[in-house]
Each structure stands twice: as structure tokens, then as C-alpha cells.
């Protein structure tokens, strides 16, 4: 084997390792990073919904123009909540209960319900009738709470 | 009679303002309101397993073992259908069964004992008309050293103070209403007040949260302490939380508190939610950091 061959082999091997490792690497993010990511997304969820709530309740009328933005954000975030909770992201600094993974069908039902309720709120907002908006907001809040009731704890028992 | 009862109730339940016509219906409504405010269904309905209303069977997992709530429907065989009003009053006021046995404080009678006579009566009127359901009680599964009921007499001698809530004359009517609803009826302290080794409430730390609540889990500090409590919440924030479960940052109540909101707080009148909120925010702030992490801090990857 010439020196050149060795080098070529080396590069090939490297490429192969890289080719195998890349998708693996994508799948296996550090669980704690997945947890942090989803908490960040959930915080945004809360932030936008709290902001929308304040506008809907007439607490900050000067921001009325932002309502549609906040509600669109909520709708986007709630498109696929279960994707934030992949297998293996149950251990670590998380408030998600084991039930998220053990009772997956129930969890997904709650997520679907929330998605639908956030779509309904967005629709109501474009309709512009405040009474309907208030009613849809309440329903969405109920949907968020229903999932937290069964799947989120103040702090997980260690 | 109803008229008089209503007049006696110090802080006028909304429903009592109604004229005497349909008195039975009003009484029922008033009873239902109290029943909600007291959260009886949270424990006595086994919702997770689709149990019938008030037929019991919910497991309360505590550090002392598992309690299974009894059937409190008026079924004569398996429920409390043979009880008199006096039996019921004694259970709530003294924590004693018709057979003279002590109840475990897993049944929060130390709080309910603070309820006014009129309210206990109205509650009984409502409960005794509930739908009877046949479901035999399941015995508790407790650690050996707490199985012997007579020992509860010692616990009571140490920690149980009977007697209804006494209004404080140096406070407003609405404050007293809030204190009554939070302590006697809503029994917030049963979860939110830390306990000593023997399970007695630490009165000086009222509502200051605990790392080991009734089911062994942490319960947040709800005194208005700026860093470890809810000192940043305003009255309107608390009222929103009691109504929808949403916190100021858009997070939602989870766990048993979501049930307290769903079963009790959201059914109250806006005035009553305001009264409770005002009372909670008037408590002395106690520095008792229960949470490991600080809430609302930015996450850093």
C-alpha cells in the first residue's frame, strides 16, 4: 500500500464513520437538551397564551393589534406537542410524569384536543366576536390544564 | 326557616338573597355550592378509574400508607344512607364515626371542623339527596404503627382544635369570608401548610409550602414572599388561577391543584375568588424555598 492509498483509505473511512454517525447523532441529542428545548417551547407557549389572555380580557388594550400574532404562535406551537416528548427524554430535570410515555394514547389525545382548541381560538380571533373569543380561550385553557393535570407534576419524586 | 338560616349565615351566600319561593331548590343550590367549595368530590369520587360520583375508592398514597376513600353516597348498605344529620355533623366537627371511632386526618376534618353549623346543615341536606351507589369500601393499607385507630386520640389531643371559625373583628367582612373559605371550607392548608414529624400543622408557617405534601410530593409556598412564595402575584393573578388554572407566566396548574381548580375554585363566585385571593395575599410572607429551581428564570442550554 502506498502512502497515498493509506491516506485515501483513511479519508474513506472517515467519511463512512461520518455518514453513519451523523444521523445517529441527530437522533441521540442529549436527553437533557431535549428536555430544556421542550421546556423553552412550553414557556413560549405559556408566554403567548398569557399575552393573548391579557389582551382578550382587555387589560392591555394598546396591544390589541398583537392578538392575532400571539394566537398564531400558540397555534403553531401546539401543532405537535408529542414530538417534544420523544422516548428517552423522561429522565432528568423534567416535570413530565412517566405517564407521558406509559399512557401515550391518552397523552396524544390531550395534545390533539389542545391543537384543535388552539385552531378554534385562532379562527375566533379572525372572526372578531369578543364573546366567542372569550369562550374559545376558556376552552383552550381547559385543554392545557387537562394535560397538566395528568402528565405534569410540580416536581417529580426522585 | 330558610329565611332565618340565611340571615344567620354571616356573610350572605349569594343564593340566600333569592325569595323564599323555590326554597328547597335554593337550599339544594346552596348545598351544591358548599359541596364544590369544600372539594368533597376530589377525594370521594374515583375519577381516574371512572368511579361513580361520591362512591369512594380513590387511593390516596401517603407516607403512612394508602387510604381508600369511603363511599359517601346515601346507599344504606355500603354508603352513609343510615346516618343521621347528627352523625354527619359529628364526623365533620369531631372526626368521629357513628360507632365512636376516630377518623384519620387524611379526611381533612381538622379544617371542616371550622365550618359554621348552618353550612354543615346545608351540606348534609345536599349530600343526603345525592344518588345512592352500591360500592363496598376497601380497607386502607397502612403501615403497622398507624393501623390502630384509638391512637388517633393522642394525635387529636395534640393537634386537633375543634370549633367553628371565629370572625376577626379587626378585619373586614371580605377578609373574614376569604379566611373562612380558604381554611374551613377549601382546606388549602391541608396541602400547603408544612407539618411537623407527627403530622401536626406548623401554624407559624401557614401556607408556606412543603417538600413533602399529603402524598409525599412538594407543594408550593403560597404566602406572599417575594422570592420563595407568590409575592409577585396580584389579586387578579390569583383570581385568574382559581378560574382557569393559568399562572401569570402562562403555565398551568397541574397535578392535584388542577383538580382543586376544576372541582372547586372555578365554581365559586367571582366575589368569593376575590375574597380568597385577598386573604392569601394578606398572609405573613414566609421565606420557605420549596422549589429546587427558581421558576421563571431563563433556560440556558
Amino acid at each position: 500500500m502506498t502512502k497515498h492509498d493509506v491516506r485515501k483509505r483513511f479519508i474513506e473511512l472517515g467519511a463512512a464513520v461520518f455518514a453513519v454517525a451523523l444521523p445517529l447523532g441527530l437522533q441521540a441529542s442529549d436527553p437533557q437538551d431535549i428536555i430544556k428545548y421542550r421546556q423553552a417551547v412550553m414557556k413560549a407557549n405559556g408566554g403567548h397564551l398569557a399575552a393573548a389572555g391579557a389582551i382578550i380580557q382587555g387589560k392591555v388594550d394598546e396591544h390589541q393589534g398583537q392578538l392575532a400574532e400571539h394566537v398564531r404562535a400558540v397555534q403553531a406551537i401546539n401543532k405537535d406537542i408529542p414530538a417534544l416528548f420523544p422516548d428517552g427524554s423522561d429522565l432528568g430535570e423534567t416535570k413530565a410524569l412517566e405517564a407521558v410515555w406509559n399512557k401515550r394514547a391518552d397523552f396524544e389525545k390531550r395534545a390533539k384536543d389542545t391543537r384543535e382548541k388552539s385552531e378554534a381560538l385562532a379562527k375566533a380571533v379572525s372572526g372578531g366576536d369578543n364573546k366567542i373569543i372569550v369562550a374559545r380561550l376558556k376552552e383552550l385553557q381547559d385543554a392545557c390544564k387537562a394535560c397538566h393535570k395528568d402528565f405534569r407534576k410540580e416536581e417529580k419524586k426522585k | 326557616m330558610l329565611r332565618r338560616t340565611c340571615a344567620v349565615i354571616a356573610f350572605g351566600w349569594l343564593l340566600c338573597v333569592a325569595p323564599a319561593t323555590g326554597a328547597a331548590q335554593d337550599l339544594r343550590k346552596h348545598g351544591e355550592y358548599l359541596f364544590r367549595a369544600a372539594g368533597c368530590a376530589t377525594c370521594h369520587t374515583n375519577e381516574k378509574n371512572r368511579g361513580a360520583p361520591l362512591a369512594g375508592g380513590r387511593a390516596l398514597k401517603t407516607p403512612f400508607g394508602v387510604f381508600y376513600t369511603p363511599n359517601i353516597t346515601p346507599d344504606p348498605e355500603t354508603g352513609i344512607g343510615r346516618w343521621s344529620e347528627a352523625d354527619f355533623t359529628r364526623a365533620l366537627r369531631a372526626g368521629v364515626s357513628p360507632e365512636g371511632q376516630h377518623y384519620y386526618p387524611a379526611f381533612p376534618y381538622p379544617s371542616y371542623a371550622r365550618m359554621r353549623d348552618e353550612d354543615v346543615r346545608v351540606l348534609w341536606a345536599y349530600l343526603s339527596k345525592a344518588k345512592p351507589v352500591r360500592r363496598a369500601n376497601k380497607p386502607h393499607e397502612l403501615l403497622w404503627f398507624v393501623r390502630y385507630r384509638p391512637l388517633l386520640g393522642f394525635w387529636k389531643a395534640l393537634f386537633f382544635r375543634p370549633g367553628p371559625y371565629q370572625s376577626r373583628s379587626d378585619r373586614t367582612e371580605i377578609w373574614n369570608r376569604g379566611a373562612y373559605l380558604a381554611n374551613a371550607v377549601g382546606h388549602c392548608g391541608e396541602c400547603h401548610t408544612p407539618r411537623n414529624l407527627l403530622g401536626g400543622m406548623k401554624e407559624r408557617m401557614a401556607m408556606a409550602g412543603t417538600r413533602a405534601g399529603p402524598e409525599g410530593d412538594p407543594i408550593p409556598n403560597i404566602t406572599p414572599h417575594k422570592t420563595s412564595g407568590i409575592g409577585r402575584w396580584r389579586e387578579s393573578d390569583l383570581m385568574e388561577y382559581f378560574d382557569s388554572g393559568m399562572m401569570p407566566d402562562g403555565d398551568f396548574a397541574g397535578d392535584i391543584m388542577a383538580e382543586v381548580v376544576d372541582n372547586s375554585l372555578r365554581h365559586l363566585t367571582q366575589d368569593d375568588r376575590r375574597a380568597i385571593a385577598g386573604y392569601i395575599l394578606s398572609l405573613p410572607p414566609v421565606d420557605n424555598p420549596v422549589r429546587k429551581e427558581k421558576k421563571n428564570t431563563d433556560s440556558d442550554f
Side-chain angles (χ1 to χ4, degrees):
Chain A
M1 235 194 264
T2 66
K3 216 173 167 184
H4 180 79
D5 280 343
V6 172
R7 231 184 96 202
K8 208 174 137 208
R9 275 268 174 90
F10 200 69
I11 290 169
E12 275 167 11
L13 188 72
V17 167
F18 194 65
V20 172
L22 188 64
L24 273 182
L26 265 183
Q27 271 168 20
S29 307
D30 183 328
Q32 194 53 48
D33 284 338
I34 301 179
I35 291 169
K36 284 242 170 97
Y37 171 76
R38 79 157 161 260
Q39 288 173 342
V41 174
M42 273 292 186
K43 273 184 190 143
N45 205 4
H48 283 292
L49 193 63
I55 297 172
I56 292 169
Q57 290 169 357
K59 288 181 181 160
V60 283
D61 282 338
E62 63 274 32
H63 294 294
Q64 185 68 36
Q66 263 65 56
L67 178 57
E69 301 282 340
H70 291 303
V71 168
R72 249 198 305 277
V74 169
Q75 195 187 348
I77 291 169
N78 290 286
K79 268 216 171 74
D80 194 2
I81 296 268
L84 297 170
F85 297 85
D87 280 346
S89 64
D90 53 339
L91 295 175
E93 295 284 317
T94 173
K95 296 178 177 178
L97 289 171
E98 282 308 315
V100 169
W101 293 273
N102 297 344
K103 298 195 173 145
R104 195 66 178 188
D106 292 346
F107 181 73
E108 287 179 356
K109 195 166 149 273
R110 295 273 181 242
K112 179 165 171 274
D113 194 39
T114 308
R115 188 184 72 212
E116 287 167 3
K117 298 283 153 56
S118 61
E119 284 161 5
L121 175 63
K123 214 169 131 201
V125 165
S126 37
D129 181 336
N130 206 53
K131 243 176 110 183
I132 298 180
I133 296 174
V134 169
R136 293 296 99 83
L137 172 68
K138 275 220 164 298
E139 286 165 15
L140 175 57
Q141 290 176 319
D142 277 352
C144 305
K145 173 156 48 65
C147 187
H148 284 204
K149 179 153 128 184
D150 294 336
F151 297 103
R152 200 211 63 162
K153 239 199 166 103
E154 164 65 17
E155 212 173 272
K156 244 188 354 184
K157 245 185 287 193
K158 282 279 141 38
Chain B
M1 177 60 206
L2 178 82
R3 264 262 200 57
R4 238 199 73 205
T5 311
C6 289
V8 174
I9 298 171
F11 304 111
W13 290 93
L14 197 73
L15 297 155
C16 288
V17 201
T21 45
Q25 210 186 349
D26 288 348
L27 187 69
R28 213 191 121 71
K29 270 204 178 147
H30 181 181
E32 182 176 3
Y33 188 85
L34 265 174
F35 167 78
R36 298 250 198 216
C40 315
T42 302
C43 288
H44 287 281
T45 301
N46 190 1
E47 205 188 297
K48 278 224 167 86
N49 300 308
R50 299 192 174 76
L54 298 181
R58 175 173 185 163
L60 305 173
K61 298 195 185 86
T62 75
F64 302 108
V66 184
F67 290 91
Y68 294 97
T69 55
N71 182 342
I72 58 165
T73 72
D75 181 67
E77 304 300 326
T78 61
I80 58 171
R82 296 214 177 107
W83 285 31
S84 66
E85 184 177 322
D87 290 335
F88 179 70
T89 307
R90 193 152 77 122
L92 253 64
R93 283 235 175 281
V96 173
S97 75
E99 294 78 37
Q101 288 207 309
H102 293 302
Y103 287 124
Y104 290 98
F107 168 25
Y109 62 83
S111 294
Y112 296 144
R114 305 263 165 280
M115 282 169 67
R116 301 205 171 85
D117 285 338
E118 300 78 28
D119 286 349
V120 174
R121 201 171 303 144
V122 169
L123 189 56
W124 172 248
Y126 175 78
L127 267 188
S128 54
K129 297 274 177 325
K131 192 172 160 245
V133 177
R134 221 187 146 76
R135 209 208 111 252
N137 289 334
K138 187 169 173 179
H140 307 315
E141 290 159 8
L142 303 176
L143 298 174
W144 61 270
F145 62 90
V146 283
R147 263 182 229 151
Y148 187 60
R149 281 186 190 261
L151 281 179
L152 288 166
F154 289 105
W155 186 89
K156 280 174 153 176
L158 285 173
F159 303 117
F160 177 55
R161 300 279 167 273
Y165 175 73
Q166 301 294 333
S167 286
R168 277 178 56 176
S169 54
D170 59 334
R171 298 283 195 162
T172 62
E173 211 169 273
I174 182 162
W175 185 92
N176 277 296
R177 174 84 180 143
Y180 177 67
L181 283 171
N183 295 315
V185 186
H187 63 279
C188 320
E190 296 283 344
C191 291
H192 284 283
T193 299
R195 293 170 188 269
N196 59 29
L197 283 178
L198 291 171
M201 284 194 205
K202 296 183 184 164
E203 296 299 342
R204 289 228 182 103
M205 308 244 320
M207 311 285 182
T210 166
R211 291 210 54 78
E215 303 199 36
D217 295 320
I219 311 271
N221 178 346
I222 56 167
T223 69
H225 190 272
K226 279 272 182 281
T227 52
S228 64
I230 56 169
R232 286 159 184 279
W233 295 38
R234 294 179 311 160
E235 192 172 279
S236 60
D237 294 329
L238 273 169
M239 287 168 71
E240 172 72 43
Y241 186 74
F242 296 162
D243 184 24
S244 70
M246 188 166 82
M247 306 178 204
D249 64 352
D251 196 354
F252 278 83
D255 198 14
I256 27 183
M257 192 61 204
E259 297 184 51
V260 173
V261 171
D262 278 347
N263 296 336
S264 301
L265 297 170
R266 71 180 314 168
H267 300 282
L268 302 186
T269 62
Q270 193 73 343
D271 282 348
D272 278 347
R273 279 196 287 266
R274 181 173 295 116
I276 300 177
Y279 167 73
I280 296 286
L281 292 179
S282 80
L283 290 169
V286 179
D287 187 9
N288 185 35
V290 173
R291 289 193 165 96
K292 266 195 307 202
E293 26 128 26
K294 266 229 202 70
K295 224 177 161 259
N296 306 337
T297 49
D298 299 308
S299 57
D300 44 342
F301 282 83

